[in-house]
Structures are given as structure tokens and as C-alpha cells.
Amino acid sequence: MNIRKAIAIFLFVSMLLTLVACSPEKQVITFKGVGKNWQSTLQFSPRDSGRGMVKEYTIKYIGSNPDKDKNISYQFMNNDEKSTNGTEVVSGSNETKIQGVCSNCSIESIQNDKWELIIQWENQTEKIKMPIQK
């Protein structure tokens, strides 16, 4: 009886290890840049539905006037083409997050992208190159 129990446990553990080894890993791709007054992060992660990618942009003020609210206008550029743009008010934590979906994105195509953030506030403009983080 003990041998049957040991064999059953061994088979169960073997199947469990096989399932874990074969499950797809959720690869996250991150681009990050730091300028004089702002830093930004862009992360792509696979959607739970399996098609396309979720993208999350973070813009954070790191300049010398952190207590003042900032009305910003931003453009995220992908390979010299406007990808996402908008306006936000940055206050409190000095950070804003924008989330979206890229339904036609693949991990392979994103890894070769070149990203840049162009941000405007209080009659100032800053361009931040955002290389891929490895």
C-alpha cells in the first residue's frame, strides 16, 4: 500500500513540474528615461486575453519645484511617430500614470522600438530619450 502511495505522489509531482515548466512566462518590456526635470517609464506586458499588450506610461516630476501643481502636455514618440499624447495635471505625488492597450503589438516588435517623451509645462519643453531596460 505504501508503494502505491509513493508512486502516486511521484506521478503527481512530476505532472505538476511539467505543467509549471511549460507555462508561458509573462515577459515585461520596460523603457526608461531621465531628464533634468522629469523621468518616465513605459512598460509593456502581455494581456490576460493573450492578444496584444497592455502599456503603462509613468511620468514623474523630479525638478526643483515639487510642491507646485503642473499642467503638462506630453507626447510619447515611437520611432519618430506620435504614439500617445495628452494633457494631465501632475500634483501631490508628482507622478501620473496613463494606461492603454496595444492590440497589434508583439514582444518581438516592441524590443526594437525607440521611445522618446516630449513634455511641455510652464513654457518649458523637455525631450527625454527612453532606452529599453535590460
Side-chain angles (χ1 to χ4, degrees), residues 10 57 78 83 85 111 127:
F10 174 77
Y57 303 91
N78 173 9
S83 173
N85 65 327
Q111 290 175 335
K127 291 183 180 183

Side-chain angles (χ1 to χ4, degrees), residues 37-95:
N37 295 289
W38 299 90
Q39 71 181 23
S40 184
T41 304
L42 170 56
Q43 284 191 328
F44 288 91
S45 56
R47 291 176 66 189
D48 290 335
S49 67
R51 184 174 177 131
M53 306 286 279
V54 173
K55 54 185 177 179
E56 182 175 275
Y57 303 91
T58 303
I59 301 172
K60 183 172 185 170
Y61 180 73
I62 58 171
S64 60
N65 196 0
D67 297 327
K68 184 178 177 189
D69 290 354
K70 288 146 210 67
N71 294 312
I72 65 169
S73 175
Y74 63 88
Q75 289 184 355
F76 283 93
M77 305 291 284
N78 173 9
N79 299 328
D80 298 325
E81 292 182 21
K82 183 169 47 175
S83 173
T84 300
N85 65 327
T87 58
E88 294 282 330
V89 176
V90 178
S91 61
S93 67
N94 289 314
E95 181 176 281

Side-chain angles (χ1 to χ4, degrees), residues 26-30 43-46 53 107 133:
K26 284 197 169 190
Q27 183 176 3
V28 176
I29 300 172
T30 304
Q43 284 191 328
F44 288 91
S45 56
M53 306 286 279
I107 290 174
Q133 304 296 294

